Amino acid sequence: MTRYVAFLRGVNVGGVNLKMAEVARALTDAGFTDVETILASGNVLVTSKAKVDAVRTTAETALRDAFGYDAWVLAYDRDAVADVSARFPFEREVDGHHSYVTFVTDADVLDELAALAADAGPDELIERGDGVVYWQVPKSGTLDTTIGRTMGKKRYKSSTTTRNLRTIEKVLAR
């Protein structure tokens, strides 16, 4: 049995409002055990004997069936998420800034997002990691950054999700 982190994309933003207790129930009904939600932004811990790709597709199907929305889930074993966090390349806590990790499952999309570092403004730090893009931006301007403007495009919906580093740490603390 493996402990996985499932990041639900676009939950409780943009009109997709889900109660985490109902999400936990749907995932439990889909066969996952030890289901635990963290915060209301689509962070879920599950245990399964399945491989990571099956965890992702099973979770997406369960959420689509239960809630009738176009669910996208990025799943990772817990140790992989801990490694991503440990490799954060910038100072973790900078006053007046957000530290983010964008998880990416599509290699071409990862290349595109990592290439945005060349166009980043002076206050936006971007660095490619293993299957992720790390970035740090001033708190008041997240949506106006190079990555912030890019991530809203439909083509990234199924293969990316972004989490604040503090959220990742809360997930890992469970």
Side-chain angles (χ1 to χ4, degrees):
M1 298 296 271
T2 303
R3 193 69 167 153
Y4 290 99
V5 178
F7 295 120
L8 286 56
R9 189 184 198 291
V11 170
N12 294 337
V13 296
V16 177
N17 297 308
L18 305 178
K19 290 183 173 30
M20 290 300 105
E22 293 173 4
V23 167
R25 188 169 29 260
L27 294 175
T28 299
D29 291 347
F32 297 110
T33 59
D34 305 316
V35 177
E36 183 179 2
T37 61
I38 298 96
L39 305 172
S41 53
N43 309 292
V44 186
L45 289 166
V46 301
T47 300
S48 177
K49 62 182 177 182
K51 299 289 185 200
V52 70
D53 289 339
V55 169
R56 179 182 182 180
T57 57
T58 300
E60 286 176 344
T61 299
L63 295 171
R64 287 174 182 154
D65 291 348
F67 303 105
Y69 81 105
D70 200 13
W72 300 106
V73 176
L74 281 75
Y76 302 88
D77 73 60
R78 189 194 171 285
D79 291 342
V81 175
D83 188 57
V84 163
S85 176
R87 293 178 183 270
F88 191 79
F90 315 121
E91 186 178 340
R92 296 175 83 80
E93 294 288 333
V94 176
D95 192 39
H97 287 71
H98 287 297
S99 296
Y100 292 111
V101 177
T102 297
F103 293 86
V104 185
T105 60
D106 179 300
D108 291 335
V109 169
L110 181 61
D111 289 342
E112 287 174 30
L113 294 176
L116 294 174
D119 298 323
D123 292 329
E124 182 179 16
L125 301 175
I126 300 172
E127 187 170 313
R128 181 190 189 125
D130 185 18
V132 300
V133 174
Y134 299 104
W135 55 298
Q136 192 172 71
V137 296
K139 285 184 178 179
S140 62
T142 301
L143 296 177
D144 295 324
T145 63
T146 307
I147 287 186
R149 288 188 307 269
T150 303
M151 289 301 297
K153 295 180 182 175
K154 187 175 182 176
R155 92 175 230 84
Y156 301 116
K157 191 173 190 177
S158 66
S159 64
T160 67
T161 193
T162 299
R163 292 297 185 275
N164 188 295
L165 190 58
R166 288 180 179 176
T167 297
I168 293 169
E169 291 305 313
K170 286 178 184 176
V171 169
L172 293 172
R174 297 301 257 273

